[in-house]
């Protein structure tokens, strides 16, 4: 069965420090990969997505993610975190262009300390 | 402004009662989706619809029902058969023929349902 794993439930980072959120998937082929962010009590906003091509993807709000086929990973990074980055982050996958069933990881909550 | 509107934001119901959550979009999207969010479990797909008058079950459809009579609207009914209905419910939409994310997905602000 397909699955998406976010190993870190909660990460605390100092403002200005770098951030990396991990995401691993288990599929036979390369899926379509996404990162979403959710502020408390709000809907989800798409940060970035990977379909093919360059394995380093740039997104909004200064985020980037790198697809590593050998590790089945799609980790999200930000070089310098701002207090407004405190939120919950979800990794998601779709098996292909006809797959409407986006599968989400359990999420990683990011706390930013001053 | 275009977007998705979910109402109400908070909803309380007694156990055993059916309740309907509203989702309206003015983005002219053909596809709409309902997700359930529980702490520590991410989002799980309940139902989705790719076109008016058609919808498919997602991963956790038991105890839920939907209708898609209009392109703009995709209401979700949580029935008394749903064993554990207290959760945060999110509606989303996307361009026809594309799953949410292949083109930017639009999510509503969610409805928090509490059954007492």
């Amino acid at each position: 069965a397909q699955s998406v794993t976010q190993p870190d439930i909660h990460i605390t980072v100092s403002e200005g420090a770098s951030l990396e959120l991990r995401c691993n998937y288990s599929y036979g082929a390369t899926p379509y990969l996404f990162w979403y962010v959710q502020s408390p009590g709000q809907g989800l906003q798409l940060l970035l997505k990977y379909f093919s091509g360059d394995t380093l993807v740039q997104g909004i709000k200064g985020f980037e993610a790198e697809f590593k086929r050998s590790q089945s990973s799609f980790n999200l990074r930000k070089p310098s975190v701002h207090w407004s980055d405190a939120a919950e982050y979800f990794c998601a996958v779709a098996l292909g262009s006809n797959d409407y069933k986006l599968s989400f990881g359990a999420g990683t909550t990011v706390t930013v300390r001053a | 402004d275009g977007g998705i509107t979910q109402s109400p934001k908070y909803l309380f119901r007694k156990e055993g009662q059916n309740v309907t959550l509203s989702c309206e979009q003015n983005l002219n999207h053909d596809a709409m989706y309902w997700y359930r969010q529980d702490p520590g479990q991410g989002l799980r797909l309940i139902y989705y619809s790719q076109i008016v008058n058609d919808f498919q079950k997602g991963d956790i459809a038991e105890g839920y029902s939907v209708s898609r009579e209009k392109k703009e609207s995709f209401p979700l009914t949580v029935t008394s058969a749903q064993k554990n209905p207290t959760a945060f419910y999110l509606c989303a939409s996307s361009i026809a023929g594309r799953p949410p994310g292949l083109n930017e997905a639009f999510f509503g602000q969610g409805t928090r349902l509490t059954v007492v």
Side-chain angles (χ1 to χ4, degrees):
Chain A
Q2 58 199 41
S3 70
V4 182
T5 303
Q6 293 181 245
D8 305 303
I9 297 173
H10 190 195
I11 287 179
T12 299
V13 61
S14 297
E15 192 168 14
S18 63
L19 173 68
E20 182 168 13
L21 305 181
R22 296 182 289 165
C23 173
N24 294 95
Y25 64 90
S26 61
Y27 296 95
T30 299
Y32 292 71
L33 298 157
F34 314 90
W35 275 100
Y36 287 89
V37 61
Q38 183 182 35
S39 298
Q42 302 295 313
L44 273 67
Q45 181 181 23
L46 181 67
L47 284 175
L48 47 77
K49 58 193 175 188
Y50 173 79
F51 300 155
S52 63
D54 191 346
T55 56
L56 186 61
V57 180
Q58 301 298 319
I60 62 171
K61 304 186 179 188
F63 284 92
E64 65 178 25
E66 185 172 14
F67 169 62
K68 292 186 177 179
R69 186 190 307 274
S70 61
Q71 299 177 17
S72 296
S73 69
F74 188 56
N75 294 349
L76 181 71
R77 300 193 293 251
K78 185 167 185 178
S80 178
V81 169
H82 186 262
W83 65 266
S84 61
D85 293 321
E88 189 160 18
Y89 293 80
F90 293 94
C91 181
V93 302
L95 290 182
S97 59
N98 293 319
D99 180 16
Y100 282 78
K101 297 183 180 181
L102 261 187
S103 296
F104 285 83
T108 298
T109 300
V110 173
T111 299
V112 180
R113 60 180 174 224
Chain B
D1 288 337
I4 296 184
T5 302
Q6 288 186 245
S7 60
K9 189 164 186 175
Y10 299 96
L11 190 54
F12 296 87
R13 278 296 181 268
K14 290 184 178 180
E15 193 171 342
Q17 289 182 334
N18 291 357
V19 60
T20 297
L21 281 59
S22 169
C23 179
E24 304 276 334
Q25 55 98 358
N26 60 4
L27 299 164
N28 201 32
H29 286 168
D30 284 292
M32 297 185 73
Y33 314 80
W34 274 105
Y35 290 92
R36 171 180 171 140
Q37 185 177 17
D38 295 283
Q41 295 193 45
L43 278 71
R44 293 180 290 169
L45 183 64
I46 305 173
Y47 269 98
Y48 64 102
S49 168
Q50 299 178 44
I51 197 169
V52 174
N53 292 323
D54 187 44
F55 47 83
Q56 288 80 39
K57 292 182 179 179
D59 298 317
I60 55 164
E62 185 175 352
Y64 299 97
S65 66
V66 294
S67 63
R68 188 85 187 278
E69 297 176 1
K70 297 186 302 180
K71 187 176 184 176
E72 302 79 17
S73 178
F74 191 41
L76 173 74
T77 297
V78 184
T79 74
S80 56
Q82 169 50 233
K83 297 285 191 287
N84 186 20
T86 295
F88 190 54
Y89 292 88
L90 283 164
C91 180
S93 72
S94 66
I95 295 173
R98 296 269 187 166
L102 259 63
N103 296 294
E104 182 168 354
F106 288 83
F107 281 82
Q109 298 296 294
T111 293
R112 186 165 298 281
L113 173 64
T114 302
V115 175
V116 296

